[in-house]
């Protein structure tokens, strides 16, 4: 079952930041004042645009939005009252340039090393070590947790953490769940007794992985999911673009140029907005935007709930039963922080639809793969999908279609209806999520004739791609 | 409905940002069947790539 935390407990975590100041490493801060100025925002926008122009010269917009998200995660330390680590894992098949996103913000100077830390591999046990061949005093030098504090951890390949034997996965995610609460980690062993760190230990994390297997999804949802995912899909580029890329791309120089630009942005960002100096209230949400954010949080928490597959003795049908979804509060806090960081680096003190499109993509991406695909199919079909449609349109077998439909139905995102006689099974978008199909106010009341006007409209804003 | 509005609608039902969908359309990942954006075609393409 998913672990949930009541709102009061999450508020305690926010407040524990103050307690942590007595724990040693947070210096007393000056009285909080307005830190955002128009000049600083303009500077931010200008510098981020520079990085964007550079990246989109040779890479697609999809990769730029992913890169911008990674920069936002790294820059989020400027925002005060962060309760939990912000973790975004870029997920996609091999060769999707996930590592480009992470390489982009790899530190290349002392100033950014203060906020970014590259690790190519690690095991969750190394957060607080209990190595038997080391003295307790030496372990303090090995422990990773204190080294990460107020830094963004960059790990290009997390597949070893997301794959493996079930007992190893459980052990890893039990540690990760505790650490990603942001309140330190205490663990015990026969050799070293109880040791670890108490207080506020908040770090952020950007990682990459190949698609996460359903088994790992299940374990993560049982132990408490603390990670946001960001799906990157493969794009086929036109031959002429690839030829131009082949002729002009000089990996070493270009990637190092990008990295320098991204590092300069991060360095200047923390000069403009030092750690914890921006008050959350300085980056505003409008009512419709906060509603969208809350809806995305609900979509994510319900969409990634644990679903147990059982085959009861009394039935030949496989049944899918939902666990208890995680509380939305933690998800809201994380998504809100990320949206604010996206706005801040873009040079805005207000959340825009552009930020929310990324938040929405993360909400969809964080739903396990098969459910995500079935949900998209259901929405594309206007909220009603039959097993015949799913089989035909998605070119999957009827049993697979039915199983995926049942699984999505078990989450509560949709209502599943078993077919009878010649009727196919049917999936209908559930009422609490009907907003997923709501049209913008300006689209409502459009007549069918409007359709004709936009057909075959040229694609504007031609994005450069390699 | 205009192309941009269809794109917005598809963004809501797939979760992909409009900028990304525009790019998918440019490279054929998002098919334009009968002058419309074929969301199901996009999903089929995505599924084939995962296989």
């Amino acid at each position: 079952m998913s672990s949930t935390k009541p709102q009061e407990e999450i508020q305690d975590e926010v407040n524990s930041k103050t307690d942590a100041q007595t724990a040693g490493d947070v210096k007393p801060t000056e009285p909080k004042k307005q830190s955002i100025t128009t000049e600083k925002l303009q500077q931010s926008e200008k510098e981020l645009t520079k990085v964007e122009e550079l990246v989109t010269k040779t890479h697609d917009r999809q990769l730029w939005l992913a890169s911008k998200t990674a920069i936002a995660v790294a820059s989020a330390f400027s925002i005060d009252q962060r309760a939990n680590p912000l973790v975004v894992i870029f997920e996609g098949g091999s060769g999707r340039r996930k590592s480009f996103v992470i390489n982009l913000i790899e530190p290349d100077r002392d100033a950014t090393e203060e906020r970014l830390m590259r690790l190519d591999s690690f095991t969750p046990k190394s957060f607080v070590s209990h190595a038997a061949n080391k003295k307790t005093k030496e372990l303090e030098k090995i422990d990773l947790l204190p080294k990460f504090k107020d830094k963004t951890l960059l790990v290009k390949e997390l597949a070893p953490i997301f794959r493996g034997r079930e007992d190893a996965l459980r052990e890893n995610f039990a540690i990760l769940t505790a650490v990603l609460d942001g309140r330190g980690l205490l663990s015990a062993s026969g050799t070293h007794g109880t040791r670890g760190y108490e207080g506020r230990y908040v770090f952020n994390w950007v990682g990459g992985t190949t698609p996460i297997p359903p088994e790992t999804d299940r374990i993560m949802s049982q132990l408490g999911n603390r990670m946001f995912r960001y799906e990157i899909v493969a794009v086929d580029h036109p031959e002429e673009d690839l030829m131009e890329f082949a002729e002009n791309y000089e990996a070493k120089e270009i990637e190092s140029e990008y990295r320098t630009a991204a590092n300069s942005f991060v360095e200047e960002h923390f000069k403009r907005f030092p750690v914890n100096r921006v008050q959350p209230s300085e980056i505003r949400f409008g009512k419709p935007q906060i509603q969208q954010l809350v809806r995305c949080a609900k979509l994510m928490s319900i969409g990634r709930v644990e679903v147990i597959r059982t085959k009861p003795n009394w039935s030949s049908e496989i049944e899918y039963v939902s666990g208890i979804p995680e509380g939305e509060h933690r998800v809201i806090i994380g998504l809100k922080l990320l949206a604010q960081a996206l706005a801040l680096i873009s040079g805005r003190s207000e959340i825009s639809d552009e930020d929310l499109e990324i938040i929405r993509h993360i909400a969809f991406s964080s739903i396990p793969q098969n459910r995500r695909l079935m949900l998209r199919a259901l929405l594309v079909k206007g909220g009603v999908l039959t097993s015949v449609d799913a089989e035909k349109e998605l070119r999957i077998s009827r049993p697979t279609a039915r199983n995926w439909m049942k699984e999505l139905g078990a989450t509560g995102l949709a209502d599943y209806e078993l077919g009878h006689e010649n009727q196919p099974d049917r999936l209908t978008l559930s009422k609490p999520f009907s907003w997923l199909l709501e049209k913008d106010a300006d689209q409502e009341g459009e007549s069918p004739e409007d359709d004709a006007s936009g057909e075959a409209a040229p694609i504007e804003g031609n994005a450069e791609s390699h | 409905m205009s192309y941009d509005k269809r794109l917005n609608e598809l963004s809501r039902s797939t979760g992909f940002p409009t900028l990304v969908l525009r790019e998918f359309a440019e490279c054929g990942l998002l098919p334009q069947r009968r002058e419309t954006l074929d969301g199901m075609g996009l999903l089929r393409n995505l599924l084939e790539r995962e296989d």
Side-chain angles (χ1 to χ4, degrees):
Chain A
M1 296 285 151
S2 303
S3 69
T4 55
K5 283 199 170 194
Q7 173 62 6
E8 304 81 61
E9 198 174 334
I10 291 170
Q11 192 55 49
D12 286 350
E13 289 174 20
V14 177
N15 297 339
S16 76
K17 175 177 168 290
T18 320
D19 306 339
Q21 293 182 349
T22 55
D25 34 13
V26 177
K27 290 176 191 158
T29 51
E30 294 162 18
K32 300 285 158 54
K33 53 182 182 188
Q34 181 89 7
S35 60
I36 293 184
T37 63
T38 310
E39 196 189 346
K40 286 180 185 178
L41 290 176
Q42 283 170 347
Q43 201 57 34
S44 242
E45 185 189 7
K46 198 173 141 194
E47 287 173 17
L48 191 72
T49 306
K50 236 190 261 172
V51 186
E52 178 181 3
E53 283 171 357
L54 209 55
V55 170
T56 52
K57 252 193 226 170
T58 49
H59 293 79
D60 53 54
R61 313 293 298 183
Q62 179 189 209
L63 219 56
W64 164 245
L65 290 187
S67 303
K68 184 176 156 185
T69 305
I71 294 172
V73 172
S75 305
F77 289 111
S78 300
I79 300 170
D80 199 13
Q81 320 248 344
R82 286 166 291 106
N84 307 112
L86 185 56
V87 185
V88 177
I89 306 297
F90 294 93
E91 185 185 13
S94 63
R96 305 276 168 86
R97 310 303 315 266
K98 300 180 295 292
S99 54
F100 170 86
V101 174
I102 295 156
N103 288 341
L104 185 71
I105 53 170
E106 188 185 310
D108 69 354
R109 59 194 80 175
D110 292 348
T112 48
E113 270 175 9
E114 283 177 22
R115 295 285 151 247
L116 299 161
M117 187 172 171
R118 170 186 161 178
L119 263 190
D120 291 336
S121 71
F122 82 103
T123 62
K125 278 185 178 173
S126 54
F127 280 118
V128 172
S129 176
H130 281 268
N133 58 348
K134 300 280 179 193
K135 291 181 182 158
T136 307
K137 261 279 174 237
E138 291 174 316
L139 292 179
E140 285 171 18
K141 291 179 192 158
I142 300 171
D143 294 336
L144 282 179
L145 190 56
K147 295 189 179 110
F148 290 162
K149 204 171 173 209
D150 287 341
K151 288 187 181 184
T152 297
L153 169 64
L154 311 172
V155 188
K156 269 183 264 188
E157 190 45 85
L158 284 166
I161 289 180
F162 289 115
R163 290 170 187 274
R165 291 194 332 270
E166 178 160 344
D167 54 348
L169 285 172
R170 281 189 180 282
E171 200 175 358
N172 281 344
F173 283 105
I175 297 172
L176 284 175
T177 301
V179 165
L180 296 181
D181 270 344
R183 305 176 78 177
L185 179 70
L186 285 172
S187 55
S189 69
T191 323
H192 294 288
T194 302
R195 63 177 307 273
Y197 302 85
E198 280 182 287
R200 179 179 172 272
Y201 283 87
V202 175
F203 63 98
N204 289 349
W205 188 0
V206 173
T209 183
T210 47
I212 296 174
E215 185 53 30
T216 310
D217 269 321
R218 195 173 60 80
I219 292 169
M220 284 164 77
S221 59
Q222 281 172 357
L223 294 173
N225 213 324
R226 303 281 186 268
M227 297 174 174
F228 296 157
R229 280 144 73 167
Y230 190 114
E231 181 187 19
I232 298 181
V233 304
V235 174
D236 290 331
H237 299 279
E239 195 173 90
E240 54 270 29
D241 284 1
L242 291 174
M243 283 169 64
E244 192 192 327
F245 175 77
E247 278 171 7
N248 301 321
Y249 191 73
E250 292 167 50
K252 219 173 176 183
E253 277 181 26
I254 288 181
E255 297 224 351
S256 133
E257 194 186 346
Y258 297 163
R259 195 174 145 207
T260 305
N263 269 264
S264 297
F265 178 87
V266 173
E267 182 180 358
E268 293 305 316
H269 171 86
F270 283 108
K271 281 185 194 162
R272 279 188 293 271
F273 307 114
V275 174
N276 295 338
R277 289 296 173 86
V278 176
Q279 294 308 298
S281 57
E282 289 185 75
I283 308 168
R284 295 177 301 274
F285 282 81
K287 267 264 184 276
Q289 281 129 4
I290 205 77
Q291 184 184 40
Q292 274 199 57
L293 184 110
V294 166
R295 285 172 164 181
C296 285
K298 278 191 160 188
L299 173 68
M300 191 192 295
S301 64
I302 298 283
R304 65 183 186 180
V305 67
E306 181 193 10
V307 171
I308 303 154
R309 202 178 130 112
T310 59
K311 192 167 180 302
N313 294 333
W314 61 86
S315 167
S316 58
E317 288 280 331
I318 292 171
E319 288 192 3
Y320 290 80
V321 183
S322 166
I324 300 168
E326 65 195 297
E328 298 101 347
H329 297 97
R330 184 191 304 277
V331 183
I332 291 171
I333 290 169
L335 291 181
K336 187 177 171 193
L337 175 64
L338 182 55
Q340 288 178 315
L342 282 163
L344 187 63
I345 62 168
S346 306
R348 283 181 277 104
S349 58
E350 281 170 359
I351 303 299
S352 76
D353 288 346
E354 197 184 310
D355 308 320
L356 289 172
E357 280 202 347
I358 292 178
I359 296 300
R360 194 176 173 105
H361 180 57
I362 288 176
F364 269 79
S365 302
S366 299
I367 298 173
Q369 214 179 10
N370 296 345
R371 293 181 206 169
R372 192 191 315 161
L373 187 81
M374 197 46 78
L375 175 66
R376 284 175 173 155
L378 175 66
L379 295 173
V380 164
K381 278 280 182 189
V384 180
L385 182 76
T386 66
S387 47
V388 175
D389 290 337
E391 180 189 2
K392 186 178 134 215
E393 298 275 17
L394 297 175
R395 294 179 192 152
I396 51 178
S397 71
R398 180 76 59 95
T400 301
R402 294 185 69 215
N403 283 337
W404 290 6
M405 288 168 76
K406 281 183 191 175
E407 186 178 338
L408 189 67
T411 63
L413 288 177
D415 301 318
Y416 171 76
E417 204 182 314
L418 184 69
H420 52 86
E421 296 177 358
N422 289 330
Q423 296 299 311
D425 297 6
R426 194 180 156 96
L427 200 59
T428 313
L429 185 65
S430 71
K431 261 203 178 138
F433 292 93
S434 59
W435 58 268
L436 279 164
L437 285 173
E438 267 173 22
K439 288 181 170 31
D440 286 340
D442 64 344
Q443 271 178 260
E444 281 170 9
E446 281 191 344
S447 63
E449 295 87 70
D450 292 338
D451 274 8
S453 62
E455 284 187 353
I459 297 165
E460 289 164 3
N462 190 26
E464 292 185 47
S465 51
H466 72 76
Chain B
M1 193 188 291
S2 73
Y3 184 88
D4 280 352
K5 282 180 180 171
R6 278 192 200 286
L7 216 54
N8 280 338
E9 200 177 273
L10 200 56
S11 169
R12 273 196 298 271
S13 48
T14 59
F16 288 108
T18 44
L19 254 183
V20 173
L21 287 178
R22 197 179 285 280
E23 193 160 64
F24 287 172
E26 285 166 11
C27 64
L29 185 65
L30 170 56
Q32 298 186 57
R33 194 169 54 184
R34 288 182 203 156
E35 275 78 24
T36 61
L37 297 168
D38 176 10
M40 200 53 91
L42 169 68
L43 303 185
R44 210 159 37 227
N45 283 342
L46 293 179
L47 194 60
E48 276 168 10
R49 274 146 208 267
E50 293 308 328
D51 285 343

